[in-house]
Each structure stands twice: as C-alpha cells, then as structure tokens.
C-alpha cells in the first residue's frame, strides 16, 4: 500500500470517529483520523459523564484521552489541528487534500464531524466573548454576581440555565425569537415563576454595544420591529446545536434541510464507500453512547465494503 | 492546588514569577476543569512540540495564589474562563478571556513569540 493510502480515513476524532478508529485499526485496517480541533470532540466539553455504561463517573477529558490512547495503541494514526482543503468522495480511490499541502487517499471515508453550539452571528459577538458574552453558565455564572444579564434561547438548556443563573444575577432577561418555548413544561413553569426572570418573546438581539466590555444590547421586537436598548453586563447564548457539515455542503453527499448527513441503515451515505457516524447524522438522539454505536456500525460496514471491493477486484 | 491536565502546572505566585523571569516566552492558562478551559489546555498540550521556544503552563483559577493573574490590569474586564496570559521577557504581551481556538492561539504565538 502507498504510504499515503489508507483503508479508511475518518474525519472527526470525537467519540464516533475514535470508536471507528479503534474497530478498524484493531482489525488491521490502515486507518487515519483527521480532526480540525483536538481529539475528543464535544466529549472534552463535558465536565462529568454519568451515563456512559460501565463507568460510574468520569470527566469527558479522561474518557476522550482513553479512547484516543486505545485507537493509537491499535495502530490508528491521528492528525489533529488540520484543515481540509478538498475531498474527492466519488472516485473509487477517494482523496483528501489538506491546507498544509498534504494529500491522502483511501478506499473508504467515514464522516464523524459531530456538531457545535450555534452562535448568534451578530457583529461584536466575538469581540465580547469572555467580556460579557458566554456560552457556559457553569463556567462563567459567578462573574455575574448581582449583575443584570440576558439569556438567549427558548429550549430546555436556555430555560434551565436562565433559572440557574438567578443564583448569581440580580435580573435575567430571557430573549426568545418565537412565540412559544420548545422545552419541557416543568422547565417553562420554573422559568416563568422565577421572580428574577423577565421574558421577552418574539424578540432578538441585533447588536452588542460597549467599549472594553459588553454594556448593552439592541433588542428588536419581531412583531412591531421596534428597537430598544437593554443595559446589561452579560449575555448567555443557548440556541441549540448544528452539524459540522459545512465542508460537505454543496458536494455530492446528501444532507437534510438542517444540513445533517443522510445515510441508509448501514450508515452509508448516498455515495458508495462514504459512511457517516455520530452527531453529524440526521437522527433524533445525540449522546456519547449513540455516537460510539454509530462509529462501530460505520467501521464494520466500511470493512465489509473494502472486503467486497477487493473480492470483486480478484474475481 | 493544581489542575488535572497533562501540562506543567504553576501552583504559586512565586512559581509564576520565577517562570516568567526564567523563560523568554510563556503562555499560562488560568482556569478550571470546565468546558471552556479544557479545549485550551488540549491545544496547549499539542502545541508544545511545535513551539519549543514557549513555556506552556496552567494554573488553577480558584487557588488564592492565582490572584496574580486574576488581578492583572489586562484581565480587569474579563468575565469568562479561562484567563490566558502571554508573557514575553516577563511582561504581559497579550491576554484573552474564554475559550480560544487553535487558530486564535497560534495567531497570538506567531505574532509575539516567533523567533
Ligand atoms: C456540554 C455538553 C455536555 C454533554 N454531556 C453529555 C453526557 O453527559 N452524556 C452523553 O452521552 N452525551 C453528552 N453530550 C453529547 C455528546 O458529547 C455528543 O453526543 C458526542 O460527543 C457526539 O460525538 P461525535 O463523535 O459524533 O461528535 P463530536 O463529539 O462533536 O466530535 C466531532 C469531531 O469532529 C471534528 N470536526 C468537526 N468538523 C471537522 C472538519 N471539517 N474537519 C475535521 N474535523 C472536524 C471536531 O473537531 C470534533 O473533534 C454533551 C455535549 C455537550 C456539548
């Protein structure tokens, strides 16, 4: 086999990609995992995991380190901090070109790029990150003791975090675009009955203002289009997750309307030899257990695909 | 009080002073074992082999000794963990608050610490 040719290239080193890497390399398949960040994916964002069977409690950092070590021990190669410039999915010999000039080919590809928290995408959001804008209540809540803040979002996380932030903040304004919450009834009741929470429905933030730190936001009422300025010290953003599929959009891989990857029940995409696993899939439940299950299924089916393809070649 | 990362830790203010006096380029990430901090430690671990001219360290935010970082004027408006401080020849040349990507970190390292 050529040095830069692999049986399988896995894109994404979260639990789905690492599991696929463990299965493939243990079966002596030459396997490369490429990750744009660091190995572990969303696992490393998880402080404590208590629902991974067989392990009572573990930090995401530790679990991802163990998965990475397991994959490496079986001979899997992992390159992190890479950026993909181009991919050819359709040829029999698939190819991946990185921005640093490296190029790899493979018999099969597994897409395991997971998901990420949505950001608002409003100007100033990056400037004030850590200076008033936060995406983690447990991390940064205590910086807002006796301060006025806003929480953006209308799902379970937004409502639960708004309530938990009232431990610190003197006032929490909950800003949501729709006319209803997409959350469990008990979460809605708890937020509505909290005296420190004021709710602004059908509203959205249009601008972040301040010099060295966040000082106010502009809020648009989506019904009247009236703009108002809300003075505050912090904004916590909890507006859901999106699949990391930007790099396949507009290519031959079928995505659904939310840009999640569509597969058959073998986790093969519409392109033969290209499989997908984990949170980037079009599916309902997104957990570590479901990601490792997907990683296993995609790896076993990729092996089967390689075996069948080489049998055809021999015949 | 130290963090459970694979980085070299700084436990006291004296140790930090010694480190920034003895090393031309120092990056210190002061945080907790939380979702905004762990990715930064991970990036630092990986960059150690690429930036051999930089001393990468972490420090526990909740240690009283971390006042030396928490009370820096450069961090006065910070409201997000971790506080990451870059020192050159003992002086702060850059400070960031909250999670940073590998690209954001390497841009700072290249700007201030490239030889
Ligand atoms: C705060 C938080 C807490 C959670 N708590 C739990 C819990 O307690 N229990 C539980 O079961 N689940 C939990 N989850 C969900 C769980 O972490 C995810 O379901 C799981 O990590 C999904 O795994 P994955 O491998 O599909 O994707 P991810 O973990 O998202 O990993 C995807 C990987 O792909 C990489 N990548 C993305 N785009 C590219 C690209 N273009 N090129 C190369 N690489 C790329 C990313 O850098 C990342 O490393 C939590 C999630 C979060 C955010």
């Amino acid at each position: 086999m050529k040095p830069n040719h692999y049986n399988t290239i896995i894109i994404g080193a979260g639990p789905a990609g690492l599991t696929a890497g463990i299965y493939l390399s243990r079966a002596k398949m030459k396997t490369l995992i490429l990750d744009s960040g660091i190995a572990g994916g969303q696992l490393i964002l998880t402080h404590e995991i208590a629902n991974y069977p067989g392990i009572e409690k573990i930090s995401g950092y530790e679990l991802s380190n163990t998965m990475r070590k397991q994959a490496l021990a079986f001979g899997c190669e992992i390159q992190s901090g890479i950026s993909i410039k181009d991919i050819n999915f359709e040829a029999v010999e698939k190819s991946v070109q990185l921005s640093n000039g490296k190029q790899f080919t493979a018999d099969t590809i597994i897409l395991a790029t997971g998901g990420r928290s949505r950001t608002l995408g409003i100007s100033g959001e990056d400037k004030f990150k850590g200076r008033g804008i936060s995406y983690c209540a447990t991390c940064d809540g205590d910086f807002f003791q006796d301060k006025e803040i806003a929480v953006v979002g209308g799902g379970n996380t937004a409502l639960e975090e708004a309530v938990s932030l009232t431990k610190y903040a003197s006032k929490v304004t909950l800003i949501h675009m729709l006319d209803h919450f997409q959350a469990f009834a008990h979460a809605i009741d708890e937020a509505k009955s909290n005296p420190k929470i004021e709710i602004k429905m059908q509203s959205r933030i249009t601008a972040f203002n301040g010099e060295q730190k966040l000082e106010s936001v502009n809020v648009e009422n989506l019904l009247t289009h009236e703009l108002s300025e809300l003075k505050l010290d912090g904004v916590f953003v909890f507006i859901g997750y999106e699949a990391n599929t930007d790099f396949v959009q507009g290519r031959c891989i079928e995505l659904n309307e939310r840009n999640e990857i569509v597969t058959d029940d073998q986790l093969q995409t519409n392109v033969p030899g290209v499989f997908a696993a984990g949170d980037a899939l079009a599916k309902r439940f997104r957990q570590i257990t479901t990601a490792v299950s997907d990683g296993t299924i995609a790896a076993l089916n990729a092996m089967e695909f390689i075996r069948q393809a080489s049998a055809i070649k021999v015949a | 009080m130290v963090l459970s990362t694979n980085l070299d830790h700084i436990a006291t203010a004296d140790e930090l002073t010694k480190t920034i006096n003895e090393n031309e380029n120092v990056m210190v990430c002061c945080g907790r074992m939380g979702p905004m901090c762990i990715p930064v430690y991970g990036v630092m671990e990986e960059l150690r082999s690429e930036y051999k001219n930089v001393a990468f360290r972490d420090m526990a935010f909740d240690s009283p000794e971390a006042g030396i970082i928490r009370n820096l004027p450069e961090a006065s408006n910070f409201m997000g963990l971790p506080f990451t401080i870059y020192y050159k020849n003992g002086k702060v040349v850059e400070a960031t608050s909250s999670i940073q990507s590998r690209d954001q970190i390497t841009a700072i390292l290249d700007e201030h610490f490239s030889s």
Side-chain angles (χ1 to χ4, degrees):
Chain A
M1 204 181 277
K2 288 180 283 174
N4 276 6
H5 184 81
Y6 292 84
N7 292 120
T8 305
I9 293 177
I10 299 164
I11 303 177
L18 289 171
T19 305
I22 291 169
Y23 271 80
L24 284 157
S25 47
R26 189 163 185 241
K28 305 278 180 247
M29 295 281 161
K30 195 177 167 205
T31 310
L32 170 67
I33 309 184
L34 298 170
D35 197 293
S36 54
I38 59 168
Q42 293 173 70
L43 257 192
I44 52 172
L45 304 181
T46 312
H47 182 57
E48 187 180 85
I49 295 155
N51 56 1
Y52 193 73
I55 304 176
E56 276 191 336
K57 268 185 196 159
I58 188 165
S59 74
Y61 186 62
E62 226 183 311
L63 184 58
S64 68
N65 257 337
T66 312
M67 285 186 188
R68 187 175 62 96
K69 276 193 214 149
Q70 272 177 289
L72 291 171
F74 287 125
C76 183
E77 293 171 43
I78 303 178
Q79 293 195 15
S80 39
I82 58 87
S83 156
I84 292 173
K85 191 173 170 204
D86 200 12
I87 304 191
N88 180 343
F89 290 112
E90 280 169 302
V92 173
E93 184 176 84
K94 300 167 191 326
S95 63
V96 179
Q97 203 187 332
L98 305 186
S99 303
N100 62 13
K102 286 186 191 165
Q103 184 149 355
F104 306 102
T105 54
D107 305 324
T108 56
I109 287 182
I110 297 178
L111 300 170
T113 47
R116 60 173 183 268
S117 298
R118 276 212 178 94
T119 55
L120 288 166
I122 297 168
S123 79
E125 190 170 1
D126 212 43
K127 174 179 169 194
F128 293 116
K129 186 180 75 173
R131 292 166 184 261
I133 298 179
S134 174
Y135 304 88
C136 177
T138 45
C139 308
D140 300 333
D142 55 352
F143 290 107
F144 296 89
Q145 190 70 51
D146 301 321
K147 302 210 184 296
E148 296 201 4
I149 62 168
V151 166
V152 184
N156 284 310
T157 309
L159 295 182
E160 283 163 14
E161 298 295 27
V163 171
S164 84
L165 284 163
T166 59
K167 275 190 294 193
Y168 310 106
S170 55
K171 183 180 172 190
V172 176
T173 306
L174 188 57
I175 301 172
H176 185 39
M177 285 180 83
L178 303 180
D179 62 356
H180 61 278
F181 291 112
Q182 306 113 304
F184 295 127
H186 67 84
I188 299 172
D189 290 346
E190 224 184 305
K192 281 187 171 168
S193 61
N194 190 308
K196 282 189 176 177
I197 296 180
E198 183 185 317
I199 296 173
K200 278 189 194 294
M201 300 299 283
Q202 291 176 282
S203 301
R204 66 178 182 126
I205 292 180
T206 56
F208 293 107
N209 314 312
E211 288 293 324
Q212 293 303 312
K213 62 187 178 77
L214 184 67
E215 287 161 20
S216 72
V217 292
N218 295 350
V219 179
E220 180 188 8
N221 179 316
L222 292 167
L223 280 180
T224 60
H225 300 292
E226 201 179 296
L227 278 178
S228 58
E229 190 184 6
L230 186 62
K231 296 235 178 286
L232 41 66
D233 298 287
V235 173
F236 285 77
V237 182
F238 303 109
I239 52 171
Y241 283 85
E242 58 193 341
N244 290 321
T245 53
D246 320 36
F247 72 112
V248 290
Q249 284 168 29
R251 292 174 187 260
C252 51
I253 304 289
E254 186 187 347
L255 304 176
N256 69 7
E257 66 291 352
R258 288 189 298 278
N259 289 323
E260 298 156 348
I261 302 167
V262 177
T263 63
D264 60 19
D265 55 9
Q266 308 301 310
L267 299 188
Q268 185 164 217
T269 67
N270 57 316
V271 178
V274 180
F275 298 81
D279 280 13
L281 286 177
K283 63 174 185 177
R284 182 152 171 224
F285 298 112
R286 292 185 166 80
Q287 288 287 289
I288 302 162
T289 48
T290 57
V292 301
S293 161
D294 293 343
T296 310
I297 296 167
L300 296 176
N301 283 319
M303 279 185 238
E304 185 62 29
F305 181 92
I306 293 165
R307 254 182 237 121
Q308 282 177 6
S310 52
I312 291 168
K313 255 193 229 161
V314 171
Chain B
M1 186 182 205
V2 292
L3 297 164
S4 56
T5 71
N6 297 324
L7 291 166
D8 290 328
H9 315 297
I10 287 184
T12 65
D14 284 349
E15 257 183 62
L16 177 61
T17 309
K18 190 163 177 271
T19 306
I20 60 176
N21 287 337
E22 287 177 357
N23 296 276
E24 183 184 349
N25 304 315
V26 180
M27 173 182 180
V28 184
C29 184
C30 183
R32 297 179 180 141
M33 291 310 289
M36 297 291 127
C37 305
I38 290 171
V40 180
Y41 308 139
V43 172
M44 289 169 76
E45 269 177 44
E46 289 189 0
L47 292 178
R48 277 187 302 200
S49 55
E50 271 177 57
Y51 291 84
K52 295 212 179 341
N53 60 332
V54 180
F56 293 95
R57 302 285 187 275
D58 64 28
M59 192 167 191
F61 188 83
D62 295 309
S63 156
E65 296 283 326
I68 187 167
I69 284 181
R70 287 195 306 263
N71 301 327
L72 281 171
E74 290 83 355
S76 61
N77 290 315
F78 285 4
M79 285 183 285
L81 288 179
F83 291 10
T84 307
I85 316 294
Y86 300 79
Y87 299 89
K88 189 166 188 75
N89 297 321
K91 299 230 158 39
V92 176
V93 287
E94 186 72 72
T96 63
S97 173
S98 191
I99 190 169
Q100 305 289 316
S101 68
R102 186 186 169 105
D103 286 351
Q104 288 170 317
I105 293 169
T106 52
I108 295 172
L109 296 177
D110 292 340
E111 185 187 342
H112 296 288
F113 297 161
S114 61
S115 29

